[in-house]
Amino acid sequence: MSEFLTIGEPIALFASEDMDKSLKDAVHFHKFLAGAEVNVAVGVSRLGHSAQYITRLGEDPFGDFIKDQLAENQIGTDYISSTPDYWTAFQLKDRVSHGDPSIFYFRRNSAAAHFEKRMLDKIDFSGVKFAHLSGIFPAISDQALDAFKYLIQLLHEHNIRTTFDPNLRPQLWSSQEKMAGTLNELAKEAEIILPGDNEGKILVGSDDPKAIADFYLGQSDRTQTVVVKTGAKGAYVQTKAGDSYTVPGFKVDQVVDTVGAGDGFALGLVTALMEGQSLRDAVIRANAVGAFAVQAPGDNDGYPTPEKLAAFLAANPR
């Protein structure tokens, strides 16, 4: 029994240590656990909450590495299956002094893309307070999309609160139109939606935070809150009850890697809400965890412990 649940494709990440060298020229790499949903699970666990992760792995060294990393981060693996027929995904990421890094995926036809929907019938939903869903898992295959929709059905049946991060990965979709249409349909099923303002251009035709929030609040009775991530500026919040406000972000001394910041935002929000904090305070925590994330080279190694988070918020009051 866990408080938090998510489904996704975990990846063995090889992050370059050679600054501003292309992946072709880089020769020094460090291996990390990565994947948007598993990043959130890592951060949730690090902040003291129990978490279960749902996926399928290959019976290979990368799969074994991921299992070890999940155990090290105290993430439940009750709903992880393994197969000798397909391989575990991995990726390469370069290191840059400015902007976002380049990423090259090796994930087509992976074990997670062949996730077996029947595994979802084994889930114990008792005690689950939140489920975090991402637009990446349903993008990796039609089989994964089918399983994703079934999980949503089960979550509704058990009255589990849900967050949804579109997490656009155009390279995983056959077209931008299919990506936007599918993700907007899936978003209708979530209580809280967490798009980025840059994603809004593709999903709703605007990068204006209010326009993005109006779209998602207007397309579904189930959606109650939209929190639009606006990068270093922070986040714009709008609720179906009529509240709307901006929560400013935190300044950091140095940005090392922006990958994982959005996942940090999600876990900050979810953990605060699980602890009974107000929505505004939850967004403050979300911004804070995002600030931690951009100061570390791995996708999730920068996420804070409760002590580090409390010290940061005390030193940077809002």
Side-chain angles (χ1 to χ4, degrees):
M1 185 173 68
S2 296
E3 298 172 90
F4 175 81
L5 189 70
T6 191
I7 186 170
E9 178 172 47
I11 296 175
L13 162 66
F14 291 84
S16 172
E17 297 180 340
D18 298 328
M19 183 67 74
D20 292 327
K21 283 191 175 182
S22 68
L23 289 175
K24 176 179 70 70
D25 296 324
V27 294
H28 301 98
F29 291 83
H30 188 85
K31 185 168 63 174
F32 295 95
L33 171 66
E37 305 88 355
V38 79
N39 290 341
V40 177
V42 167
V44 167
S45 176
R46 197 165 295 167
L47 286 177
H49 296 273
S50 55
Q52 283 280 351
Y53 185 64
I54 308 166
T55 195
R56 196 179 195 198
L57 299 171
E59 294 179 2
D60 50 47
F62 292 157
D64 293 340
F65 166 74
I66 288 169
K67 289 176 185 176
D68 288 347
Q69 288 295 300
L70 293 172
E72 185 176 316
N73 283 282
Q74 299 180 328
I75 297 170
T77 58
D78 296 350
Y79 312 125
I80 295 180
S81 61
S82 298
T83 174
D85 299 324
Y86 305 100
W87 50 287
T88 305
F90 65 100
Q91 70 184 59
L92 304 175
K93 180 173 71 174
D94 65 10
R95 187 173 183 184
V96 293
S97 55
H98 297 89
D100 294 331
S102 296
I103 297 175
F104 196 91
Y105 292 109
F106 297 83
R107 66 194 307 173
R108 186 182 298 276
N109 205 37
S110 66
H114 292 84
F115 181 85
E116 295 179 317
K117 186 169 70 172
R118 59 185 175 82
M119 280 291 297
L120 300 174
D121 292 321
K122 300 179 180 180
I123 296 175
D124 178 6
F125 289 96
S126 60
V128 177
K129 296 179 179 178
F130 253 98
H132 178 68
L133 305 172
S134 160
I136 298 177
F137 186 73
I140 62 177
S141 69
D142 290 340
Q143 188 170 331
L145 175 60
D146 186 47
F148 191 85
K149 291 178 178 179
Y150 183 50
L151 176 60
I152 290 174
Q153 175 187 326
L154 294 174
L155 293 169
H156 291 339
E157 290 175 2
H158 291 86
N159 297 312
I160 307 299
R161 302 185 71 185
T162 54
T163 48
F164 179 73
D165 185 339
N167 254 327
L168 302 189
R169 297 293 188 275
Q171 61 270 48
L172 298 179
W173 296 91
S174 58
S175 71
Q176 183 170 293
E177 291 73 20
K178 183 176 181 179
M179 176 178 68
T182 302
L183 295 182
N184 285 338
E185 281 298 311
L186 294 175
K188 291 180 180 179
E189 304 299 327
E191 176 192 343
I192 302 171
I193 304 176
L194 307 173
D197 56 356
N198 58 331
E199 293 177 318
K201 294 180 182 179
I202 296 173
L203 294 171
V204 308
S206 174
D207 60 359
D208 175 65
K210 188 178 188 311
I212 297 169
D214 285 342
F215 175 87
Y216 286 113
L217 290 170
Q219 76 162 359
S220 171
D221 292 335
R222 193 179 296 277
T223 301
Q224 298 299 309
T225 303
V226 178
V227 184
V228 183
K229 296 167 286 186
T230 55
K233 297 177 183 177
Y236 171 77
V237 182
Q238 190 170 318
T239 70
K240 188 150 302 203
D243 295 327
S244 62
Y245 49 88
T246 297
V247 179
F250 294 89
K251 292 183 178 180
V252 298
D253 294 333
Q254 181 182 15
V255 175
V256 176
D257 189 340
T258 58
V259 178
D263 304 324
F265 186 96
L267 76 90
L269 183 94
V270 168
T271 53
L273 292 177
M274 287 197 296
E275 293 165 18
Q277 294 189 27
S278 70
L279 178 60
R280 187 185 294 269
D281 285 341
V283 178
I284 291 173
R285 177 185 287 192
N287 283 335
V289 178
F292 272 94
V294 300
Q295 299 179 78
D299 286 13
N300 55 58
D301 55 315
Y303 296 157
T305 61
E307 295 77 17
K308 288 184 177 180
L309 178 60
F312 179 85
L313 290 172
N316 299 273
R318 286 289 182 266

